[in-house]
């Protein structure tokens, strides 16, 4: 499927257009880092800045030069990377902060001063006129150092509108190159941002908006502002930021492309960048996060999966490939037989159609406890049904011994009985399980490969019962995937039992052919 296959609603043409040009101002490394519990080191910041640049964002706010000591070091390093994006540092309206930005070698400063009466009174103890004068002299100072200035009236959305306009007009007059309207506490509705962006756009410099997600409206607010003339949206990867975060980069980028035709980043890299930021920040990506969440393209319900398998446009607003994601079909209590057959076919298993209802019933029983059923489990359940009641165990495990430890090569000695005839084999391996599997394979002399192997503890503690699931492929018998499953206290022994179960199934199938 290509990028061109877009599935948006035809009714979207009734929304206000965003003529553009528009771009993103990413603040993952500044507002994102201010998220509670997030702390990024210089190397982390460099890796994220490079990834954002590679993604193609126009502007990156990489930190706060006058903040923690390490901030200036990180900013200096990022300034020296020669990235395509314009790199900004945040700065308060003081000469010390502005000097700190200039000292890093950056040429872009994001200056801010609060404008709401609440902030002026309770935080800054400044009168309105004093605040404007302070901002004006800071902008003039930054311009005198040759910096490009984006100016934010902090808490703009809770500021008296006429005073706000006077404030922005004064900083523009003083030389600010761009202005930003922050919805600092995420209190505004889309129509409010639309109004503010429209009004401040008349001041003659590019307008940015900085929307927080306290009401879950950050993306909607940013889009509304862009429809009224804002040309930049402040965003962060996976919406990382103060409290509930900022407008999510991936959501903004996707909607701007899908509904307005603006390709502001390389969309196919969104999933990768989200994973990178999640790893460095230690913040999980919510499973239901739009665009990049694990379940953004996951389907479980039988009705949906049936539709999806015929044509993905039935239950997806856009193709996962567009944003670097994969589609997945989950098995659970809402599953239908179409999901089962497609998953079994993908694993290379042939399962009799007439037994499907029975398999579905088993899957639903397992899923009742809320357990998600993965491929290995499905294969094991399907295998169990297929070979139920057949005479088995032509191969029996007689004895085995494994030696393992630190500084020695793990080795296994295995004796099996095949149709009454005993065969033994010794083999080494990377660990006790690997050595045992190798010895078993040697004793059988069969071209059988271990395709998948998983151990799960069923109960907690060191005496936990382990559940081993394996999938073998019979290279001699057409390569059909054959599962085996066993439960026991000893992981190595249980693995052998699971493998033997699968091997006996392979032998049964060969006999039947
Ligand atoms: Mn913010």
């Amino acid at each position: 499927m290509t990028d061109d296959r877009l599935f948006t609603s035809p009714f979207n043409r009734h929304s206000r257009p965003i003529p553009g040009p528009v771009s993103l101002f990413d603040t993952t490394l500044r507002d994102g880092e201010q998220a509670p519990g997030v702390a990024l080191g210089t190397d982390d910041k460099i890796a994220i800045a490079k990834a954002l640049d590679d993604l193609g964002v126009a502007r990156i706010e990489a930190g706060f030069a006058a903040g923690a000591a390490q901030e200036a070091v990180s900013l200096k390093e990022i300034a020296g990377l020669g990235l395509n994006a314009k790199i900004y540092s945040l700065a308060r309206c003081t000469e010390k902060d502005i000097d700190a930005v200039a000292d890093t070698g950056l040429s872009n400063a994001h200056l801010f001063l609060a404008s709401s009466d609440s902030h002026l009174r309770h935080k800054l103890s400044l009168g309105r006129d004093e605040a404007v004068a302070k901002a004006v002299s800071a902008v003039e100072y930054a311009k005198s150092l040759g910096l490009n200035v984006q100016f934010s009236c902090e808490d703009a959305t809770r500021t008296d509108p006429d005073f706000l306009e006077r404030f922005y007009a004064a900083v523009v007059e003083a030389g600010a190159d761009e202005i930003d309207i922050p919805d600092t506490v995420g209190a505004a509705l889309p129509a409010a941002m639309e109004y503010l962006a429209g009004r401040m756009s008349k001041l003659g410099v590019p307008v940015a908006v900085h929307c927080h997600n306290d009401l879950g409206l950050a993306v909607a607010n940013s889009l509304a502002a862009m429809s009224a003339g804002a040309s930049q949206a402040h965003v962060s990867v996976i919406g990382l930021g103060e409290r509930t975060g900022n407008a999510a980069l991936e959501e903004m980028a996707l909607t701007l492309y899908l509904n307005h035709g603006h390709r502001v980043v390389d969309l196919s890299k969104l999933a990768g960048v989200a994973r990178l930021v999640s790893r460095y920040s230690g913040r999980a990506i919510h499973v239901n996060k739009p665009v990049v969440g694990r379940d953004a393209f996951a389907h479980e319900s039988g009705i949906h999966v049936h539709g999806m398998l015929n044509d993905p446009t039935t239950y997806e607003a856009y193709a996962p490939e567009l944003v670097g994601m994969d589609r997945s079909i989950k098995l659970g209590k809402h599953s239908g037989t179409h999901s089962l057959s497609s998953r079994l076919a993908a694993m290379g298993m042939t399962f009799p159609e007439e037994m499907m209802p029975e398999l579905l019933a088993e899957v639903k029983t397992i899923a009742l406890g809320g357990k998600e059923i993965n491929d290995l489990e499905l294969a094991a359940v399907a295998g169990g049904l297929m070979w139920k009641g057949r005479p088995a165990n032509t191969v029996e495990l007689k004895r085995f011994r494994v030696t393992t430890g630190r500084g020695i090569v793990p080795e296994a000695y295995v004796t099996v009985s095949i149709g009454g005839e005993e065969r033994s084999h010794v083999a080494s391996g990377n660990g006790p399980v690997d050595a045992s599997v190798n010895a078993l394979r040697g004793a059988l002399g069969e071209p059988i490969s271990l395709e998948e192997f998983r151990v799960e503890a069923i109960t907690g503690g060191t005496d936990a019962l382990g559940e081993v699931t394996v999938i073998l492929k019979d290279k001699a018998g057409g390569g059909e995937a054959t599962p085996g499953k066993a439960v026991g206290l000893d992981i190595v022994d249980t693995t052998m039992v699971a493998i033997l179960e699968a091997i006996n199934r392979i032998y049964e199938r060969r006999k039947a052919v």
Side-chain angles (χ1 to χ4, degrees):
M1 199 171 305
T2 70
D3 276 4
D4 303 311
R5 201 160 164 200
L6 305 176
F7 326 139
T8 69
S9 166
F11 298 103
N12 285 351
R13 66 189 162 82
H14 298 291
S15 72
R16 284 190 62 172
I18 294 177
V22 290
S23 61
L24 299 181
F25 178 112
D26 183 276
T27 184
T28 308
L29 296 176
R30 199 280 296 168
D31 208 319
E33 206 209 3
Q34 283 172 227
V38 175
L40 300 168
T42 297
D43 289 345
D44 305 346
K45 285 200 160 195
I46 288 173
I48 293 171
K50 282 181 175 167
L52 288 168
D53 192 56
D54 185 49
L55 185 67
V57 299
R59 293 170 178 79
I60 298 172
E61 183 170 43
F64 180 24
Q70 196 59 27
E71 283 285 282
V73 175
S74 304
L75 283 164
K76 246 179 228 168
E77 296 250 0
I78 293 168
L81 292 174
L83 301 178
N84 291 316
K86 284 185 168 182
I87 312 295
Y88 286 70
S89 164
L90 186 70
R92 286 164 297 197
C93 285
T94 65
E95 293 198 358
K96 178 183 149 285
D97 272 30
I98 295 163
D99 285 339
V101 177
D103 289 346
T104 61
L106 290 175
S107 28
N108 306 290
H110 173 205
L111 264 55
F112 76 102
L113 190 71
S115 55
S116 68
D117 289 332
S118 151
H119 279 231
L120 290 178
R121 203 173 298 148
H122 303 302
K123 192 178 81 174
L124 301 172
S125 303
L126 279 179
R128 286 182 173 186
D129 291 339
E130 285 173 291
V132 173
K134 188 176 165 74
V136 164
S137 66
V139 170
E140 284 171 351
Y141 182 67
K143 291 309 294 176
S144 78
L145 298 182
L147 292 167
N148 176 63
V149 174
Q150 180 164 125
F151 189 91
S152 285
C153 283
E154 191 185 13
D155 206 19
T157 54
R158 295 190 301 175
T159 300
D160 168 63
D162 292 334
F163 172 61
L164 187 68
E165 186 176 341
R166 177 158 74 83
F167 201 142
Y168 278 126
V171 294
V172 168
E173 175 71 28
D177 302 276
E178 304 155 346
I179 55 172
D180 170 55
I181 308 170
D183 184 23
T184 303
V185 298
L189 294 180
M193 291 310 296
E194 192 176 318
Y195 168 80
L196 278 170
R199 187 162 169 181
M200 301 312 157
S201 288
K202 297 195 181 96
L203 295 172
V205 293
V207 172
V209 289
H210 177 105
C211 297
H212 274 276
N213 208 30
D214 299 71
L215 297 176
L217 291 171
V219 167
N221 284 348
S222 305
L223 292 169
M226 283 186 151
S227 77
S231 59
Q232 291 175 35
H234 285 203
V235 294
S236 64
V237 179
I238 61 172
L240 205 61
E242 295 266 13
R243 305 179 311 281
T244 55
N246 294 70
L249 178 150
E250 55 280 358
E251 295 169 29
M252 281 299 294
L254 186 75
T255 303
L256 284 173
Y257 174 66
L258 221 49
N259 292 305
H260 301 281
H262 302 301
R263 196 186 279 270
V264 289
V265 296
D266 180 348
L267 298 169
S268 68
K269 292 179 176 162
L270 288 173
V273 172
R275 280 194 293 269
L276 180 91
V277 168
S278 169
R279 198 167 71 235
Y280 283 117
S281 65
R283 285 299 189 90
I285 302 174
H286 283 207
V287 295
N288 62 344
K289 170 87 187 58
V291 189
V292 295
R294 187 198 67 191
D295 289 352
F297 302 93
H299 306 276
E300 179 184 308
S301 121
I303 295 164
H304 283 221
V305 170
H306 184 201
M308 288 298 304
L309 292 172
N310 289 331
D311 187 333
T313 63
T314 50
Y315 285 103
E316 280 173 358
Y318 53 94
E321 296 84 354
L322 180 65
V323 293
M325 293 285 290
D326 292 317
R327 177 175 299 123
S328 65
I329 291 168
K330 303 274 180 186
L331 297 178
K333 69 175 257 199
H334 308 104
S335 289
T337 52
H338 289 95
S339 308
L340 301 181
S341 2
S342 89
R343 289 270 291 260
L344 290 168
M347 284 185 281
M349 271 185 91
T350 320
F351 188 81
E353 196 57 45
E354 67 275 11
M355 291 177 80
M356 274 297 174
E358 206 183 334
L359 178 59
L360 185 62
E362 284 236 11
V363 164
K364 289 192 173 195
T365 308
I366 297 170
L368 274 183
K371 186 171 165 30
E372 202 178 286
I373 297 151
N374 60 27
D375 281 345
L376 271 178
E377 228 130 25
L378 174 65
V381 174
L385 285 176
M386 277 163 82
W387 288 284
K388 197 164 68 180
R390 302 244 193 121
N393 293 343
T394 51
V395 183
E396 263 183 87
L397 178 64
K398 292 306 229 185
R399 292 173 293 281
F400 79 90
R401 187 186 66 234
V402 186
T403 48
T404 187
R406 179 165 292 202
I408 63 163
V409 177
E411 197 178 68
Y413 175 82
V414 171
T415 303
V416 292
S417 146
I418 306 169
E421 180 206 338
E422 289 204 0
R423 280 197 229 164
S424 300
H425 198 84
V426 183
S428 57
N430 295 325
V433 170
D434 190 42
S436 309
V437 171
N438 290 342
L440 191 56
R441 205 188 332 227
L444 293 168
E446 287 284 357
I448 287 168
S449 65
L450 176 64
E451 295 293 315
E452 291 198 57
F453 168 69
R454 198 189 65 224
V455 183
E456 261 186 318
I458 296 179
T459 50
T462 50
D463 61 346
L465 269 181
E467 182 186 75
V468 175
T469 316
V470 296
I471 289 187
L472 301 190
K473 275 202 175 155
D474 176 14
K475 298 269 171 67
E480 174 130 350
T482 307
K485 191 170 184 165
V487 173
L489 284 166
D490 179 318
I491 291 305
V492 178
D493 185 70
T494 309
T495 302
M496 301 290 252
V497 174
I499 290 173
L500 279 170
E501 188 190 68
I503 283 172
N504 279 309
R505 284 175 180 173
I506 289 172
Y507 282 16
E508 277 305 311
R509 189 188 300 108
R510 285 187 193 166
K511 268 192 234 161
V513 171

